[in-house]
Amino acid sequence: MKRPDGLSGVMDKDRETGSVLAPRYDANGLVTAVVTDHADGTVLMVAHMNAEALALTLSSGEAHFWSRSRASLWKKGETSGHVLKVVEARVDCDQDAVWLRAEPAGPACHTGERSCFYRRIENGALSRS
């Protein structure tokens, strides 16, 4: 049986409750990836992964992503040295999002902040938390 997402033979029930990793990539071939600090649960960043980025992440133990703006694969920390060592990788129930629990080797945000979520929305404006 051919599925609209390109996977043959993977039924929704298998994907949602089974033990087979069968990511449900979107029309652009991407899944959302949320990265948290394994030590304290802080959300560090949100990015996207294609099949190659996910495979490299799982095989190397270091986070790789797909840059939508540059249309290219990138390893987090490749130039800065601020790699994300993956402690645990999880997938949500319908396998269209990935959660990486990671050990950061420095700031996760390109601005130099520990987390990309360093600003709070208050009364319609942004303030540093």
Side-chain angles (χ1 to χ4, degrees):
M1 170 171 82
K2 185 73 172 172
R3 298 185 41 87
D5 55 15
L7 294 171
S8 299
V10 178
M11 303 298 294
D12 285 339
K13 184 169 178 59
D14 296 331
R15 177 178 278 129
E16 292 175 0
T17 61
S19 61
V20 174
L21 178 62
R24 188 184 303 242
Y25 297 99
D26 68 13
N28 296 312
L30 303 173
V31 293
T32 300
V34 178
V35 183
T36 62
D37 187 312
H38 82 98
D40 66 10
T42 299
V43 177
L44 299 175
M45 61 181 286
V46 174
H48 296 88
M49 298 176 127
N50 63 5
E52 184 179 8
L54 181 57
L56 281 169
T57 297
L58 297 176
S59 66
S60 72
E62 294 181 339
H64 291 72
F65 302 102
W66 178 259
S67 171
R68 295 178 299 168
S69 61
R70 294 185 307 264
S72 63
L73 188 69
W74 61 284
K75 175 184 169 184
K76 176 67 176 145
E78 189 166 39
T79 57
S80 68
H82 300 156
V83 297
L84 293 169
K85 181 180 175 195
V86 177
V87 174
E88 180 180 48
R90 292 184 178 224
V91 66
D92 76 333
C93 58
D94 58 358
Q95 298 198 42
D96 65 358
V98 173
W99 172 21
L100 301 178
R101 294 181 59 234
E103 180 180 304
C109 185
H110 74 280
T111 65
E113 296 290 335
R114 175 176 183 241
S115 166
C116 293
F117 295 90
Y118 63 92
R119 295 177 292 176
R120 197 173 276 158
I121 304 170
E122 296 177 325
N123 301 317
L126 301 178
S127 65
R128 295 177 87 78
S129 28

